[in-house]
Amino acid sequence: MAGAGEQPFLNARNKALARSQSYTYDELHSFRSWLRWMCVDQSNTWRACLSWSVFMAMAIVVPCVSHFVLACASCDSKHSRPYDGVLQLSLTSIATLSFVCLSRFVRKYGLRRFLFFDKLCDESETVRKGYTEQLNISLKILFIFVLPCFAVESAYKIWWYASGASGIPFLGNVYVSDTVACIMELCSWLYRTVVFFLVCVLFRLICYLQILRLQDFAQVFQVESDVESVLREHLRIRRHLRIISHRYRTFILWALIFITASLLVSLVIITRPTAEVNIYKAGELALCSVSLLAGLMILLRSATRITHKAQSVTSLATKWHVCATIESFEAADNETPVGHVTTNQVFPVGTDGSSDGEDVGDEEDELDNTKLIPA
């Protein structure tokens, strides 16, 4: 029988465990629905088989048929696609990497654990609210990058088929065949691009959670805090950063290799003396390069932001540690009278000069101007 003093602790623990469970209409309900529509949900055996089948069809079969069967070998200069092989290989390779990594993440950790929703019960209300809001706008961010490129790709494909470039009646009728082929190619392009951007946006979302944690952790230096609680929180944040690094380092490394190789090959083939470069021939290749670079920029910017914020908090913790050490020596020294040294006297705000302050971004001001209260 638990005592009266243990009852609040048990209630808090049960509440934390209950939040870690998955409900039908929890924070991830709309996100799971979207994953099912994209056929990347692998929560059970049936959905996993469907997901891999759709991936093989959209990322492997359709690009191969488009390149080796539907491409017009005897077209005029406007309808020939000399760079289609590099385009299809680039999109398929990065989509395969993204799909395999996403499948491994969801299968090994589960969507709720992978997105750290099982750890939100230990965070403050500000962190939970900010992270949930960021999750709701993540899909909007994804389509902000994808939809403009898809509109341009759709316009090019519709023009290419409408002008009679293919004309292979594999369904008995030329117009029906071209319509089906155009739709399948557009779906393949959209599927491969969205899968790649989805993994990039999820990495951005997880990094945003750590930034919220770091900003919340910086607030402990503005109140009376004991050293033990500060060090425990610091170790917890370091552990989460290490988890993110270990989970995503393979994807980021291989994405960087694939995208760099794709851009180098594209540069080599379009700068040859005999290469004919115009909007009709190299437009799709340029669009593919822009899409890959946009996803890579999302990854690098998210990693840079979280590193930048972690360094700011580390600098703030160092100042706090020095102030706490000075105060400890002053309290222990009873023989020699020593004047009281305040935090502002040791680290005055604005000592770097106005010229240095102009070079510091607005993102750093909220942490650099934090008023320290030593332990």
Side-chain angles (χ1 to χ4, degrees), residues 84-266:
D84 186 69
V86 178
L87 166 69
Q88 301 295 348
L89 186 60
S90 300
L91 284 179
T92 298
S93 60
I94 198 66
T96 302
L97 173 66
S98 304
F99 183 81
V100 171
C101 291
L102 182 62
S103 302
R104 177 180 175 272
F105 293 153
V106 177
R107 182 178 63 254
K108 184 176 181 179
Y109 305 107
L111 186 60
R112 190 174 186 84
R113 181 185 172 192
F114 173 66
L115 296 179
F116 291 94
F117 268 90
D118 60 327
K119 304 295 184 181
L120 285 185
C121 56
D122 301 327
E123 307 297 337
S124 64
E125 185 65 26
T126 303
V127 175
R128 290 197 297 266
K129 183 178 179 180
Y131 189 51
T132 305
E133 292 177 353
Q134 192 67 24
L135 173 67
N136 296 330
I137 67 174
S138 293
L139 297 182
K140 298 179 182 179
I141 296 175
L142 187 149
F143 284 108
I144 286 175
F145 286 96
V146 174
L147 286 183
C149 297
F150 181 69
V152 177
E153 177 71 12
S154 300
Y156 174 80
K157 287 296 182 184
I158 293 174
W159 166 82
W160 197 82
Y161 279 96
S163 57
S166 179
I168 302 178
F170 58 90
L171 293 178
N173 185 282
V174 175
Y175 299 104
V176 176
S177 301
D178 286 349
T179 301
V180 173
C182 180
I183 294 175
M184 293 303 295
E185 283 201 66
L186 289 177
C187 291
S188 174
W189 187 95
L190 181 63
Y191 178 84
R192 288 178 290 176
T193 306
V194 167
V195 169
F196 171 57
F197 273 97
L198 177 61
V199 182
C200 297
V201 169
L202 288 181
F203 178 71
R204 177 188 177 276
L205 176 65
I206 296 175
C207 289
Y208 188 83
L209 172 61
Q210 307 311 314
I211 292 175
L212 290 175
R213 284 173 169 169
L214 291 171
Q215 291 176 346
D216 191 67
F217 175 62
Q219 304 302 318
V220 303
F221 301 110
Q222 301 182 14
V223 296
E224 293 288 344
S225 304
D226 61 290
V227 178
E228 181 181 1
S229 62
V230 173
L231 292 181
R232 286 181 180 274
E233 183 66 17
H234 182 257
L235 291 177
R236 188 172 71 94
I237 293 177
R238 282 176 56 89
R239 183 170 62 254
H240 290 166
L241 294 177
R242 185 171 62 251
I243 291 174
I244 296 175
S245 174
H246 287 183
R247 288 180 183 177
Y248 261 94
R249 61 184 177 183
T250 302
F251 171 76
I252 295 177
L253 177 61
W254 282 107
L256 185 61
I257 293 175
F258 285 162
I259 294 174
T260 303
S262 173
L263 295 178
L264 287 177
V265 172
S266 302

Side-chain angles (χ1 to χ4, degrees), residues 16 19 46 48 50 109 145 150 174 193 276 299 331 343 345 366:
R19 185 177 176 83
W46 160 248
L50 178 62
Y109 305 107
F145 286 96
F150 181 69
V174 175
T193 306
E276 297 181 11
L299 294 174
T343 304
Q345 291 175 341
E366 55 180 317

Side-chain angles (χ1 to χ4, degrees), residues 278-300:
N278 52 55
I279 190 62
Y280 301 104
K281 293 184 177 181
E284 271 194 302
L285 185 62
L287 184 63
C288 172
S289 301
V290 169
S291 303
L292 297 182
L293 280 177
L296 184 61
M297 289 301 103
I298 293 177
L299 294 174
L300 297 182

